[in-house]
Amino acid sequence: MTGDSPSRTDLIGRPLGQPLGQTFGQAQALAELNERSREIFRQIVESYLATGEPVGSRNISKLLHAPLSPASVRNVMADLEQAGLIFAPHTSAGRLPTETGLRFFVDAMLELGDLSLEERGNIEAQMRAAAQARDFESALAEASAMLSGLSRGAGVVVTSKQDPRLKHIEFVRLDPARALVVLVSEDGSVENRLLDLPPGLPASALTEAANFLNARIRGKTLAEVRDETRALREAMERELDALTARLIEAGVALPTEGAVERHLIVRGQANLLADLQALEDLERIRLLFEDLETQTDVIDLLGRAEAGEGVRIFIGSENKLFSLSGSSLVAAPFRDGGQKIVGVLGVIGPTRLNYARIVPMVDYTAKVLSRMLEGSGR
């Protein structure tokens, strides 16, 4: 594994072998699985991840490295079922992993793949081409579409609205009590905000306030300007009258502090319809589409991936959002040049996602985005 590969402890942001909702008794039982039980369990899970179908003892016995009769395999499967790791769907003789079983597999047994140099190069080239041809927001959309195409799931990105660097500010009086604050950013965007004026403010104060700020704000974010005006209060009081100083402080303090606008990008929902196994799968996808339409809940779930380092995996009913659709999310945060987390990207799909391939894919894409942000000075 290379330095850019996710480590075992990165996967879910908590100690291994302690799946969500797992009791101490279950954890102890899982830890005590012998090598033969683990191998049979691994074959059941890997068969499910590959086909989505239950697998029976006869097929398992043919896959094992050490010879074992179907009857002996059935005995082990009975123990695994009692431990809550596998179950029999309907009256099938085969077994599938439970969500607890999948969590145990991901935490303790998953062998991560690695991306080839060609795959890494392709990811980086696509992302940078999108950013250069359009803008960074286009690169985010490209990341979502690319992850969707590579994973055959739905690619998702959620990011905070960027605080752009300012170029110019104007105060335009609308009436004696109100003015319009016009913020022009270096990227060409313009934002207008209403401002209540202090009583008795002369018309010249608007021009003086704009001149004072324009001499100092270029290339800075509004948050940086706000902090600077607090530090420059003495200079404002020396150079400007009290009402103009109040106008400046009010003009740059307009945003509601703590309110962060989140933007969700989803690409590739149609991929989720391409591999349906049964009518139950169609119902599951219908419920997942409903989940994705509830953007606030998806954003909240992706926001939980900001709480830890590296890649996070959420499986099925471990989170309320996917409790009905039985879906999984693999997600990783990306950072700006100041190492502040500014967004999360990931893949949503059925619980039988190819975790070994998707985890390093999501992890590397997040690292590429972070490097792009660092290089752009954002």
Side-chain angles (χ1 to χ4, degrees), residues 234-255:
E234 187 175 316
M236 287 193 296
E237 291 174 353
R238 186 172 60 250
E239 296 179 30
L240 307 168
D241 61 57
L243 286 179
T244 307
R246 281 176 56 192
L247 174 65
I248 289 173
E249 290 183 333
V252 299
L254 273 175

Side-chain angles (χ1 to χ4, degrees), residues 17-30 83 100:
Q18 291 295 320
L20 231 64
Q22 182 178 294
T23 66
F24 175 77
Q26 284 177 310
Q28 189 173 33
L30 301 182
T100 298

Side-chain angles (χ1 to χ4, degrees), residues 33 37-56 60 63-64 77 80 84-87 95-107 109-111 315 351-356:
L33 286 180
S37 298
R38 282 175 173 256
E39 178 62 17
I40 290 173
F41 175 64
R42 178 190 294 277
Q43 294 294 345
I44 293 171
V45 175
E46 290 183 347
S47 175
Y48 166 71
L49 295 180
T51 70
E53 298 290 337
V55 61
I60 293 286
L63 297 172
L64 297 175
M77 289 168 72
L80 293 172
L85 296 177
I86 63 174
F87 73 104
R95 297 295 185 274
L96 293 174
T98 62
E99 287 182 359
T100 298
L102 280 175
R103 170 53 70 191
F104 174 63
F105 176 83
V106 164
D107 286 1
M109 300 177 68
L110 180 63
E111 295 179 1
I315 298 175
T351 54
R352 62 183 193 86
L353 283 172
N354 185 347
Y355 298 100

Side-chain angles (χ1 to χ4, degrees), residues 203-238:
S204 61
L206 298 177
T207 303
E208 290 177 11
N211 290 341
F212 182 89
L213 286 171
N214 285 324
R216 293 166 173 82
I217 67 170
R218 192 177 184 94
K220 298 174 182 176
T221 67
L222 194 57
E224 290 170 343
V225 173
R226 187 186 304 121
D227 291 340
E228 191 168 303
T229 55
R230 292 176 185 142
L232 290 173
R233 183 172 285 112
E234 187 175 316
M236 287 193 296
E237 291 174 353
R238 186 172 60 250

Side-chain angles (χ1 to χ4, degrees), residues 146-217:
M146 183 184 63
L147 287 173
S148 168
L150 293 173
S151 68
R152 307 307 300 165
V156 291
V157 175
V158 64
T159 183
S160 304
K161 183 179 178 182
Q162 296 295 313
D163 192 0
R165 299 198 173 274
L166 297 171
K167 179 181 179 181
H168 186 71
I169 188 170
E170 290 183 32
F171 293 89
V172 180
R173 194 166 204 147
L174 300 177
D175 57 46
R178 292 184 308 160
L180 195 65
V181 183
V182 182
L183 300 167
V184 182
S185 302
E186 288 186 339
D187 62 6
S189 61
V190 178
E191 188 171 349
N192 299 320
R193 294 170 176 173
L194 283 174
L195 171 67
D196 292 329
L197 297 177
L201 185 76
S204 61
L206 298 177
T207 303
E208 290 177 11
N211 290 341
F212 182 89
L213 286 171
N214 285 324
R216 293 166 173 82
I217 67 170

